[in-house]
Amino acid sequence: MKKYFLLLLTCIGTFAGEKIFAQQDPQFSQYMFNPLNMNPGYAGSRGVMNGALVYRNQWTGFDGAPTTEVLAVNAPSRKGKVGLGLEVMNDHLGPKNSTGAYLDYAYRLPCGKGKLAFGLGAGVVSYHVDWNKVTYKDAGDGFDNLNVTKLTKPDFKFGIYFNNKNFYISASTTHINREVYSMQDTLKVTMSQHSYLAFGRAFQLSDNFLFSPSIMIRSANGIRQGTADLNLNFKLKNILWFGVSVRTEKSLVAMFQYNINDKFKIGYSYDMTMSKLRTYQSGTHEIVLGFDLNLFQSQVMSPRFF
C-alpha cells in the first residue's frame, strides 16, 4: 500500500503546479549528449544532421514508475545560419500519460571562435489522465469522479546556446506561456516555467584521452526550487565515454557511451538514489541511441566535442 500512496503523492505533486514543487519536465541523465530537449537553440549546432532516440525507465520496481521515450532530430541549413529541429516525446507516470511534439528554430551568429544561437520551440502537449487507475486511501475522495481526462494545449520554449569545438554554455526556459489545464471544476494545473543553465568544457589531455566536466542547474518556479548536477566525463581513443554525475537530489549516476562508428553511438546510464525512495525501487536506467549524418557534406570542425 505504501507504494501506491507514494505514487499518488508524486502524481498530485506533478499536477499541482505552483502549490507543490515537482519537476514537470522529464529529467535525463545524459542530457549533455542530447540538449535539444531542453534548449531549441541547440538545433543545427553540430553542423550535421544530429539526433537521438532516448528511453528512460525511472525507479525500476516501483509500481507505476515513470517511463519516458524521446525522439529528437535537428539539422543546419546549407549555409549554417539556421538550425531546425523536431522533437516527439511520450512520458508515462502512473495514471498520467503526456505526449508532446515540437518544431524548433534556431538562428546562429558568428561569435568569436564559435557561434551564438537564439532558438524558439513551438508545439503541443497532450495530457491523458485515467483517474480510475488511482488507488484512493479515502473512497470518497473527490478525484474519483473524474474518470478519464484528456487535454491538449500549445506549449513554447526559448533558449540561447553558444558553442565552439570544446566549450558550450546553454540557457533556456520551457513552458513560457504557462498554459493552464483545467480538469472540470475540481483541479486546475498550471505548467510551471522550467529554467536550465548548463555549461561544459573539453580538455584534450593527450591524443587518446579527453576530460569533459559539465554542470547543469535546473529550476522551476524560481531558483529556490532547483537542483544541480556535477558531471565528470572521460573519453578514450574517440571511442568510449564514461563518467559519473553527482546530483543535489541525493543521487549518483554512472554513464557510458560507445561510438559504434563515426555516425552512430549508444549510451547507457544508471541512477542510484540515496533518498528514502531507495527502499522501494532499484534505480533508474536510461538508454540513448545517437547519430550524426553529414547529409550536406558540410565542413565540420575537427575534433568536435560539442
Side-chain angles (χ1 to χ4, degrees), residues 41-266:
Y42 176 77
S45 66
R46 287 189 62 81
V48 298
M49 176 177 281
N50 168 255
L53 181 63
V54 183
Y55 172 75
R56 182 175 175 86
N57 186 354
Q58 191 165 332
W59 304 339
T60 305
F62 197 112
D63 294 339
T67 59
T68 307
E69 301 88 29
V70 176
L71 172 63
V73 181
N74 70 94
S77 63
R78 286 186 177 273
K79 293 184 179 181
K81 291 184 178 181
V82 171
L84 299 175
L86 171 66
E87 305 169 59
V88 180
M89 180 197 69
N90 182 69
D91 188 52
H92 182 79
L93 169 60
K96 176 190 76 78
N97 193 81
S98 60
T99 303
Y102 296 87
L103 292 176
D104 299 317
Y105 175 89
Y107 189 76
R108 301 178 56 76
L109 299 169
C111 182
K113 295 183 179 180
K115 288 190 175 182
L116 178 66
F118 299 87
L120 179 66
V124 294
V125 176
S126 178
Y127 273 89
H128 179 282
V129 185
D130 187 352
W131 297 98
N132 297 315
K133 293 182 178 179
V134 177
T135 301
Y136 295 94
K137 186 176 181 180
D138 182 357
D141 196 301
F143 292 115
D144 62 359
N145 62 3
L146 291 178
N147 295 320
V148 175
T149 301
K150 296 181 181 179
L151 296 169
T152 301
K153 295 292 185 78
D155 195 47
F156 301 93
K157 53 186 174 180
F158 173 78
I160 301 173
Y161 188 84
F162 171 83
N163 75 297
N164 55 35
K165 71 176 184 179
N166 56 15
F167 174 79
Y168 78 90
I169 183 167
S170 168
S172 59
T173 300
T174 62
H175 315 306
I176 57 178
N177 53 319
R178 294 176 59 84
E179 194 63 57
V180 177
Y181 290 74
S182 298
M183 301 181 186
Q184 299 184 12
D185 296 327
T186 310
L187 185 64
K188 289 186 178 181
V189 180
T190 300
M191 291 299 293
S192 302
Q193 287 186 355
H194 289 56
S195 299
Y196 300 88
L197 175 64
F199 50 94
R201 178 77 158 83
F203 299 92
Q204 188 75 58
L205 303 182
S206 70
D207 292 341
N208 295 321
F209 192 65
L210 176 77
F211 173 49
S212 180
S214 62
I215 292 176
M216 154 74 79
I217 301 171
R218 56 177 75 82
S219 65
N221 298 320
I223 193 64
R224 289 180 296 176
Q225 297 178 325
T227 63
D229 296 1
L230 171 62
N231 312 284
L232 304 175
N233 290 311
F234 304 87
K235 191 174 187 181
L236 293 177
K237 297 184 177 180
N238 203 33
I239 296 177
L240 178 66
W241 282 92
F242 62 94
V244 62
S245 295
V246 180
R247 191 171 291 152
T248 55
E249 296 172 315
K250 298 181 180 180
S251 296
L252 293 175
V253 182
M255 65 184 70
F256 306 88
Q257 186 184 95
Y258 176 70
N259 290 352
I260 301 171
N261 51 40
D262 60 351
K263 295 182 176 64
F264 296 96
K265 53 195 173 185
I266 185 168

Side-chain angles (χ1 to χ4, degrees), residues 274-289:
M274 302 299 149
S275 70
K276 293 181 180 180
L277 278 176
R278 67 181 183 273
T279 306
Y280 307 100
Q281 49 89 22
S282 54
T284 296
H285 304 274
E286 183 178 296
I287 299 173
V288 177
L289 177 62

Side-chain angles (χ1 to χ4, degrees), residues 10-30:
T10 303
C11 292
I12 292 175
T14 301
F15 297 138
E18 296 181 359
K19 293 184 180 180
I20 300 177
F21 170 68
Q23 184 77 17
Q24 292 173 326
D25 286 353
Q27 179 173 267
F28 299 101
S29 296
Q30 301 176 71

